[in-house]
Amino acid sequence: MNEKPQYQIDTLAVRAGQERSQFGEHSEALYLTSSFVFTSAAQAAARFSGEEDGNVYSRFTNPTVTMFQERLAALEGAEACIATASGMSAILSTILSLLKSGDHIVAARGIFGASQQMFGNIMPRFGVTSSFVTGSAPAAFRAALQANTKLIFIETPSNPLTEVFDIAALADIAHEAGALLVVDNCFCTPALQRPLDLGADLIIHSATKYLDGQGRVLGGAVCGGKALVEEVFKFMRTAGPTLSPFNAWIILKGLETLKIRMLAQSAAALDLARRLEAHPAVARVFYPGLPSHPQHALAMRQQATGGAIVAFEVKGGRTEAWRVIDGCRMLSITANLGDVKTTLTHPASTTHGRISPEARAESGITESLLRVAVGLEAVDDIEADLRRGL
Ligand SMILES: *Cc1c(COP(=O)(O)O)cnc(C)c1O
């Protein structure tokens, strides 16, 4: 499976990266081992020094984790991929391996709540500062650049408002400034969008979401060019936010159905978004697949579908939004997304509850906003559940 470009993404999802052991197992093996044995003292020394390729210790590499990394790299069209314990540890590892005290990040305001915390509150203690850009206009990103800006960080579509960012335009702006463009590709996954093809330098994944697809384990990954990913790997093997082999095995199998899940869940999301838009108790729907979305045209150029996340504002405030949640009998009230089970979230009081009210207002996350991560149930049933509280 080394001749990667010959296969289409559907094929890569089930075939890429598999290494069979001497037993010839058909399904990918789960190697639950913390360390690996050597045949001699000389081999141990050669493995540790890197003179000889091979596994040493599962904080560095593990065959099951390697299979996951190879498969995801193939799907993203990336030279390399490093797996991490979670999406947040993928972001942390990227920053700590590529930036140093005195460096600066330009990030979109509407990124995942924990990412905002990391850039806004944690990193400044280590001398890495960030500017947050409201809206998605490329010119606003250019205006926020400083002499010490080392990376631009976006999520597209963003969580939860599904704001769409022009990856190619932002890659140009970053590169002109000698900075990197890092894209959190959590909402689309490579099944719908491949940021590296559009000029991005690195992709962040929370594998916890669609890559697993069934809400079972936490995981993350960083994909990109060999040299950059190697830097992240050097940090990872020392610092240790490594993906467990068990989690890697779960997500590796999840990748096999990624595309059919993403297409089915996106189709259901579009259907639901249209129905919500027509409902009298709904003030506004945010879904890139709808012509009413301000960046519909860009989304349709950049993504294969509108994705599977639909956000909407109810008429009223927190009381009315919570009434919709509390009226549901089937939908899962949880902050997770990317599951085959539809989940319903009130971002202002959960995922984005810990950021300042000012930052929340600037992000456009109101008390009346709800986020539906559409799963594989029948759209009629999902709609009926939401209608009860509307
Ligand atoms: C969930 C999420 C993360 C963080 O991932 P974890 O696996 O929970 O650490 C990062 N970015 C986005 C867009 C997310 O939805």
Side-chain angles (χ1 to χ4, degrees), residues 86-88 112 155 159 184 186-187 206 208-209 218-219 337:
S86 66
M88 289 319 300
F112 187 62
E155 221 175 276
N159 180 17
D184 185 330
C186 178
F187 269 35
S206 169
T208 314
K209 313 293 168 55
L218 286 151
L337 61 93

